[in-house]
């Protein structure tokens, strides 16, 4: 079977996440991709990136100008969150597939605009949830989904990180209009997306949120109790107030506990399986030995997207699957701000939490600017 042509890729935004993670992912897949263009409104940063990238990478300060001139197959977006919807829709309309940093949009309403653009163009937009793509995560999901570990019963999902005042001094951080939320949207979303990947659809959320330290519009900590469709109950904690930083998922099933402990990425060695007393040793050995050791990374997710592109199918991390994670965030905010449980599917057009994560709540809506 002939090898598919190399995909012509462009990056939008040339800051740290693109010059680091996205560029290294493109280089790792150099046999399948060719970086042909970069876009940044900062000419100095753009020039520095083009030098770093090497080769003949064209530079542009306008997304539309780049799309018209280059017509790329794939656009990788690493700009601030408030720009994601507009840039993603523009790329889709130009016929390009998109791989965009999280959150893909700031609301469910914006997400549905992207879904409409996908439908009209036939191209797809995928959001970066790279923690799904390590071999350890794929192995754990297969074990849970197959029933090998027994029925899931109890889970804990923890993103306890630390961000200081200097972090929030960056103008686009800490506001609803620029980020769409606090650690629920910008930090913990990676971990609870992985939890959803492992456990499947969620059914109900009861949550709390607070501003305990930082002078931001959005929260700096949130907690949630979650019921999954399979009956499992979970706790979710999203914090930027925690000196001892850790990212952790633990799932207690009938036959085993599976636990992942890491910070910003995982390998096979970060996953542990503890059998229940009644489980035979030969079963345990199979749990602990994935066929390969693929770290969770942008590189792994880009590979999965390129596989989908080559096969003409919807890529992972897109469509209804990715929307479910954004809906989880919206439901967490709605429950936290209203004090009421929220069920999957209830946030629809007409609900105040559909167009904005703050739901125009009087205590949480955007502050008036002088």
């Amino acid at each position: 079977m002939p090898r598919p042509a190399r995909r012509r890729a462009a990056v939008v935004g040339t800051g740290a996440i693109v010059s680091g993670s996205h560029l290294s992912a493109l280089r790792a897949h150099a046999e399948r991709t060719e970086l042909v263009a970069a876009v940044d409104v900062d000419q100095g940063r753009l020039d520095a990136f083009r030098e770093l990238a090497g080769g003949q990478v064209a530079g542009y300060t306008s997304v539309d100008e780049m799309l018209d001139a280059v017509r790329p197959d794939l656009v990788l977006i690493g700009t601030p969150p408030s720009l994601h919807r507009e840039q993603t829709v523009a790329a889709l309309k130009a016929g390009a597939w998109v791989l965009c940093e999280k959150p893909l949009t700031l609301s469910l309403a914006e997400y549905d605009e992207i879904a409409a653009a996908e439908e009209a163009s036939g191209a797809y937009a995928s959001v970066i949830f790279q923690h799904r793509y390590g071999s350890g995560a794929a192995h754990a999901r297969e074990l849970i989904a197959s029933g090998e570990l027994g029925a899931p019963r109890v889970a804990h999902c923890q993103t306890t990180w630390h961000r200081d005042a200097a972090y929030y001094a960056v103008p686009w951080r800490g506001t609803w209009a620029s980020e769409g939320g606090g650690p629920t949207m910008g930090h913990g979303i990676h971990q609870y997306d992985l939890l959803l990947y492992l456990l499947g659809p969620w059914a109900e959320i009861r949550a709390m949120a607070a501003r305990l330290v930082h002078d931001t519009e959005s929260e700096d900590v949130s907690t949630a109790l979650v019921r999954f469709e399979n009956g499992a109950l979970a706790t979710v904690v999203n914090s930027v107030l925690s000196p001892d930083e850790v990212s952790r998922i633990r799932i207690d099933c009938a036959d085993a506990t599976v636990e992942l402990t890491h910070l910003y990425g995982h390998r096979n060695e970060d996953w542990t399986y503890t059998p229940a007393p009644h489980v035979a040793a030969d079963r345990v050995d199979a749990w602990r030995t994935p066929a390969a050791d693929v770290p969770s990374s942008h590189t792994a997710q880009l590979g999965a997207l390129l596989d989908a592109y080559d096969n003409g199918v919807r890529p992972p991390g897109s469509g209804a699957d990715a929307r479910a994670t954004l809906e989880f965030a919206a439901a967490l905010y709605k429950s936290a701000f209203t004090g009421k449980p929220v069920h999957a599917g209830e946030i629809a057009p007409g609900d105040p939490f559909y167009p904005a994560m703050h739901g125009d709540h009087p205590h949480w809506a955007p502050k008036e600017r002088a």
Side-chain angles (χ1 to χ4, degrees):
M1 183 175 179
R3 180 187 296 274
R6 293 172 75 197
R7 307 304 177 185
R8 300 171 67 255
V11 296
V12 177
T14 61
I17 194 66
V18 171
S19 61
S21 298
H22 287 277
L23 183 57
S24 63
L26 288 165
R27 284 172 169 165
H29 294 287
E31 291 187 355
R32 308 176 70 184
T33 64
E34 177 188 8
L35 179 59
V36 296
V39 181
D40 202 302
V41 294
D42 185 315
Q43 187 68 52
R45 191 165 55 209
L46 176 61
D47 292 343
F49 176 82
R50 293 175 66 199
E51 183 176 354
L52 176 66
Q56 301 299 313
V57 178
Y60 299 88
T61 56
S62 161
V63 172
D64 289 339
E65 182 184 356
M66 181 276 291
L67 291 171
D68 287 342
V70 177
R71 309 303 292 185
D73 302 308
L74 173 64
V75 175
L76 293 84
I77 297 176
T79 52
S82 61
L83 302 174
H84 289 176
R85 179 202 58 80
E86 179 182 358
Q87 293 171 344
T88 297
V89 168
L92 290 169
K93 286 182 176 179
W97 285 34
V98 175
L99 183 58
C100 180
E101 282 297 322
K102 55 75 187 165
L104 180 57
T105 63
L106 303 187
S107 69
L108 288 170
E110 286 191 355
Y111 194 95
D112 291 345
E113 288 184 49
I114 288 178
E118 283 187 327
E119 182 70 22
S121 69
Y124 297 111
S126 189
V127 59
I128 289 285
F129 284 135
Q130 74 270 24
H131 292 181
R132 290 186 175 206
Y133 295 87
S135 52
H139 183 63
R141 185 174 192 248
E142 181 180 353
L143 291 173
I144 294 170
S146 69
E148 174 60 26
L149 303 184
R153 291 174 173 169
V154 182
H156 305 278
C157 179
Q158 174 185 349
T159 303
T160 41
W161 294 357
H162 191 269
R163 298 293 183 266
D164 60 14
Y167 176 85
Y168 284 104
V170 175
W172 57 266
R173 290 187 175 136
T175 68
W176 294 107
S178 59
E179 284 196 294
T184 306
M185 278 285 275
H187 304 83
I189 195 169
H190 279 300
Q191 235 53 232
Y192 62 73
D193 174 75
L194 180 54
L195 184 71
L196 296 174
Y197 176 73
L198 296 172
L199 286 183
W202 60 274
E204 178 184 355
I205 299 178
R206 300 168 185 253
M208 294 183 180
R211 300 183 200 96
L212 298 182
V213 174
H214 296 293
D215 182 20
T216 57
E217 290 182 350
S218 50
E219 85 291 357
D220 54 18
V221 61
S222 68
T223 63
L225 304 176
V226 185
R227 187 187 309 276
F228 283 80
E229 284 187 3
N230 61 19
L233 299 181
T235 63
V236 175
V237 178
N238 308 296
S239 167
V240 288
L241 308 178
S242 307
D244 183 11
E245 294 189 299
V246 69
S247 305
R248 179 177 292 124
I249 286 178
R250 169 177 169 146
I251 301 174
D252 297 321
C253 300
D255 293 345
T257 293
V258 55
E259 187 166 11
L260 167 66
T261 303
H262 67 118
L263 186 54
Y264 298 137
H266 56 79
R267 306 184 70 100
N268 290 349
E269 65 187 15
D270 299 316
W271 296 79
T272 60
Y273 292 85
T274 303
H278 64 269
V279 174
D282 58 342
R283 285 180 64 191
V284 180
D285 289 341
W287 300 344
R288 293 173 176 161
T289 53
D293 188 5
V294 178
S296 63
S297 65
H298 287 63
T299 298
Q301 182 165 357
L302 178 57
L305 183 143
L306 291 170
D307 289 344
Y309 199 128
D310 291 347
N311 291 302
V313 298
R314 174 176 286 282
S318 68
D321 188 29
R323 191 184 190 280
T325 300
L326 193 68
E327 184 190 3
F328 185 97
L332 192 156
Y333 282 123
K334 181 177 180 179
S335 177
F337 297 168
T338 64
K340 298 177 181 179
V342 175
H343 295 86
E346 78 171 60
I347 301 177
D351 188 302
F353 289 87
Y354 178 74
M357 292 290 174
H358 55 73
D360 206 28
H361 188 279
H363 295 155
W364 288 97
K367 299 175 183 178
E368 292 292 332
R369 299 294 181 182

